[in-house]
Amino acid sequence: MTTPLLPYPDGWFAVAFRDELPAGRVVTRRFMGEDIVLYRTRSGLVRAVRPFCPHLGAHLGHGGTVEGENIVCPFHRFAYSPDGTCVRTDYGAPPPRARLTLRHIREVDGAVVVWHHAHGLPPAWEIPSSMPAAFSPGGYVVQTVVAHPQDVMENAIDTGHGPPVHRMDTEIRRMRCTGTVMEVDLSTRPAQDRRNGYLVANQVHYDLQVHGLGWLAVRARVPGLRTRMRFWTLPVPIDPRRIELRLAVNVEEAAGIALPPWATRLLSKACAPLIGRDGSKDFPVWQHKTFVEHPKLAKGDGPIMEYRRWAGQFYSKATP
């Protein structure tokens, strides 16, 4: 592995989907080079904590359990409340003045997101929810990739790579950056491969909302198929060179018919691997590319520098 040329960005990053974290479950995720432990209490509260018990250092993600509203250490069964306070020992002694380190956490559109700031500052902005509180995306795939979140978001407005990589022509109709939000309206259409006449898909219209470098939500319409969908592209750094990339889809209308929940879930589950397969076409390039600070751009590359100027606000550590 080579040394990364971009540091971890600040912002919100998705570490799980809601159905990966039912009540009573404890899971461990890699997040910015370290473990975090996620759990949901019996009443439905979701928490993210640094993994080690402050008593004698046991890892809560390896054998820790949820009992009611508390997470219980596997080593000495000290129990910690949702605010992180130690509230019980297993052998009758008064609990020590010990507290778990909580991470800021939210649930948005069926994703569990955790806040990161290089200097430990609290959240400075929020991701607005566009779906009901109990929503979970109908289908999703999770892939580990050698890449950086900035590469993933830049891909959305890099119009030049569409024909050679995805066999699609891309036209950006509008791009607007306002604070921590970038909005993009674009459309794609099948590209003609001059070698074999290869055509793919119908024309698709996309409305993108990007919140920081960890959240890309898309409304998509395929007029030719009278189909409407939502997509989420959610990269989270797990170490200096790799991300865990969550791609989710929810098919809301097909052939002009609004789908009932069971049909949405069935069709979305079928579509998710196809979306993952198309997205993975970028992975070999990301794995071996470097970050070019002053790229020699050509007409047709898309608003890459405008995007990078916007993305610069999410680094409290200086970029190269």
Side-chain angles (χ1 to χ4, degrees), residues 61-145:
H62 293 273
T65 56
V66 173
E67 294 183 2
E69 297 304 289
N70 302 327
I71 186 169
V72 179
C73 173
F75 199 14
H76 296 83
R77 295 192 52 78
F78 282 24
Y80 297 86
S81 70
D83 70 1
T85 304
C86 184
V87 294
R88 189 188 75 229
T89 67
D90 196 45
Y91 32 83
R97 290 187 176 182
R99 179 181 293 272
L100 299 177
T101 302
L102 273 62
R103 304 293 298 257
H104 296 282
I105 192 168
R106 306 282 191 271
E107 290 189 86
V108 184
D109 292 356
V112 178
V113 297
V114 174
W115 173 260
H116 169 79
H117 192 281
H119 301 311
L121 298 182
W125 47 275
E126 301 287 340
I127 301 172
S129 181
S130 63
M131 304 298 290
F135 171 80
S136 291
Y140 61 82
V141 293
V142 182
Q143 300 159 300
T144 300
V145 188

Side-chain angles (χ1 to χ4, degrees), residues 158-203:
D158 177 2
T159 55
H161 91 289
V165 177
H166 300 284
R167 310 282 194 212
M168 301 296 289
D169 290 324
T170 301
E171 178 187 2
I172 294 179
R173 298 188 297 271
R174 181 181 70 98
M175 175 175 169
R176 182 175 64 184
C177 298
T178 307
T180 58
V181 182
M182 180 175 71
E183 297 175 293
V184 185
D185 295 341
L186 61 85
S187 62
T188 61
R189 60 181 182 275
Q192 177 77 36
D193 189 313
R194 297 177 182 176
R195 293 167 298 176
N196 56 23
Y198 180 56
L199 295 173
V200 292
N202 265 332
Q203 186 174 28

Side-chain angles (χ1 to χ4, degrees), residues 91-297:
Y91 32 83
R97 290 187 176 182
R99 179 181 293 272
L100 299 177
T101 302
L102 273 62
R103 304 293 298 257
H104 296 282
I105 192 168
R106 306 282 191 271
E107 290 189 86
V108 184
D109 292 356
V112 178
V113 297
V114 174
W115 173 260
H116 169 79
H117 192 281
H119 301 311
L121 298 182
W125 47 275
E126 301 287 340
I127 301 172
S129 181
S130 63
M131 304 298 290
F135 171 80
S136 291
Y140 61 82
V141 293
V142 182
Q143 300 159 300
T144 300
V145 188
V146 176
H148 189 277
Q150 184 163 316
D151 296 328
V152 178
M153 300 309 183
E154 186 171 292
N155 222 51
I157 52 90
D158 177 2
T159 55
H161 91 289
V165 177
H166 300 284
R167 310 282 194 212
M168 301 296 289
D169 290 324
T170 301
E171 178 187 2
I172 294 179
R173 298 188 297 271
R174 181 181 70 98
M175 175 175 169
R176 182 175 64 184
C177 298
T178 307
T180 58
V181 182
M182 180 175 71
E183 297 175 293
V184 185
D185 295 341
L186 61 85
S187 62
T188 61
R189 60 181 182 275
Q192 177 77 36
D193 189 313
R194 297 177 182 176
R195 293 167 298 176
N196 56 23
Y198 180 56
L199 295 173
V200 292
N202 265 332
Q203 186 174 28
V204 186
H205 301 289
Y206 298 94
D207 295 320
L208 282 64
Q209 272 205 353
V210 185
H211 294 267
L213 298 183
W215 186 273
L216 169 58
V218 183
R219 294 174 183 263
R221 294 179 294 110
V222 190
L225 301 177
R226 294 187 296 162
T227 297
R228 290 186 299 108
M229 297 172 283
R230 291 177 188 255
F231 300 98
W232 291 265
T233 300
L234 310 172
V236 55
I238 58 177
D239 62 35
R241 285 283 293 163
R242 296 182 302 159
I243 61 171
E244 196 167 69
L245 181 61
R246 285 179 159 76
L247 301 173
V249 59
N250 215 56
V251 182
E252 299 176 336
E253 179 181 314
I257 301 171
L259 299 177
W262 66 267
T264 287
R265 184 161 292 274
L266 191 66
L267 192 54
S268 300
K269 282 184 178 294
C271 287
L274 302 177
I275 294 166
R277 192 175 306 132
D278 184 65
S280 67
K281 293 176 182 176
D282 295 295
F283 296 174
V285 176
W286 291 345
Q287 180 173 358
H288 300 287
K289 73 187 290 290
T290 190
F291 178 74
V292 179
E293 184 180 3
H294 302 291
K296 308 302 182 184
L297 299 175

Side-chain angles (χ1 to χ4, degrees), residues 150 177 303-314:
Q150 184 163 316
C177 298
I304 288 175
M305 295 313 294
E306 182 181 352
Y307 159 77
R308 289 190 179 183
R309 285 190 290 271
W310 172 81
Q313 68 183 296
F314 302 109

